[in-house]
Amino acid sequence: MIAINALWTFSLMVGLLTLTPGLDTALVLRTAALGHRRRAWGVVLGVQSGTLIWGTLTSLGVTALLTASHLAYEILRWAGAAYLVWMGGRLLWASWRRSVDEASETSGSGAEVTSGSGSGDSLPGGWRQGLTTNLLNPKMGAFYVAMLPQFLPADTSHLAAGLLLTSVHILLAVLWAGVLITLGHVLRDRLQQPTARRCLDRLTGTVIAAFGVRLALGE
């Protein structure tokens, strides 16, 4: 079995990783701040489903093939970068279009401005978004390949030990996500104001697109 000190060390490392602001944080906070609580939890469950897949494949030694194959890694890296840039660009475009619609309303059109999100408070929709974002991030696979094998004891099943460690990571991430969703819910009324909503979408879109560019550049 896994030694207690090794389990605590792994928990500390993935805990610090979880607390580091990143793409997942931006997605969950924005979704919760818009009042889409179910979708926010869907994003969380999707991301953690991806984490479970990465942990399982690493325990079985499959993800080592990904890092060993330059072509496979590059394909996944460019697919992930394209997806993130597209997602960030869509948010930026929606915020710009919303500005134009609101300007038209101010000039006397009298039309009601819609939210423009088109996503709704859908748990399955959030799950798909979170899962896709996680699985198209090759750095997640590289992290598990570099980290997880160090904590897998030689005298026990690698799959069982790997799933135990991955479950610790998922538990910490879900607990932190609960804090983020609560924070987003508290700020919901303020962030749903038109100006605040545009700023939120532009900030989130820029962050997501920047992650995509960084992934494309291999940083």
Side-chain angles (χ1 to χ4, degrees):
M1 290 297 293
I2 302 174
I4 296 298
N5 60 337
L7 187 61
W8 277 112
T9 301
F10 180 83
S11 300
L12 177 61
M13 298 185 73
V14 296
L16 292 174
L17 176 66
T18 299
L19 293 175
T20 302
L23 177 60
D24 298 345
T25 303
L27 283 175
V28 172
L29 264 179
R30 176 191 177 271
T31 307
L34 295 180
H36 299 158
R37 204 163 189 173
R38 284 184 298 178
R39 186 178 179 88
W41 277 113
V43 171
V44 173
L45 294 176
V47 169
Q48 300 318 315
S49 295
T51 300
L52 179 60
I53 292 173
W54 282 120
T56 302
L57 293 179
T58 302
S59 302
L60 295 174
V62 176
T63 48
L65 301 176
L66 172 65
T67 55
S69 171
H70 179 72
L71 177 60
Y73 185 87
E74 287 298 297
I75 290 175
L76 185 59
R77 181 169 70 88
W78 282 104
Y83 175 72
L84 292 178
V85 170
W86 171 78
M87 186 162 56
R90 189 174 65 168
L91 279 175
L92 293 172
W93 168 255
S95 69
W96 177 83
R97 186 178 61 184
R98 195 176 299 113
S99 297
V100 173
D101 291 344
E102 288 168 359
S104 298
E105 181 187 15
T106 302
S107 66
S109 66
E112 181 182 357
V113 181
T114 61
S115 65
S117 64
S119 55
D121 194 8
S122 166
L123 182 71
W127 182 84
R128 288 192 297 269
Q129 184 182 42
L131 179 66
T132 303
T133 302
N134 187 280
L135 291 183
L136 287 180
N137 184 5
K139 291 187 176 182
M140 189 67 179
F143 169 80
Y144 262 82
V145 169
M147 184 67 61
L148 199 61
Q150 301 179 41
F151 297 90
L152 298 179
D155 57 348
T156 189
S157 167
H158 280 192
L159 179 59
L163 289 177
L164 173 61
L165 292 171
T166 303
S167 298
V168 171
H169 187 185
I170 291 173
L171 175 61
L172 293 175
V174 169
L175 290 175
W176 177 236
V179 174
L180 294 176
I181 291 174
T182 301
L183 177 61
H185 184 72
V186 170
L187 299 175
R188 179 185 58 182
D189 292 340
R190 181 173 300 176
L191 293 177
Q192 283 187 330
Q193 298 299 318
T195 301
R197 169 69 184 274
R198 288 197 304 271
C199 291
L200 178 64
D201 281 355
R202 287 170 184 172
L203 177 61
T204 308
T206 301
V207 169
I208 293 174
F211 271 101
V213 172
R214 285 185 59 188
L215 187 58
L217 295 176
E219 298 180 1

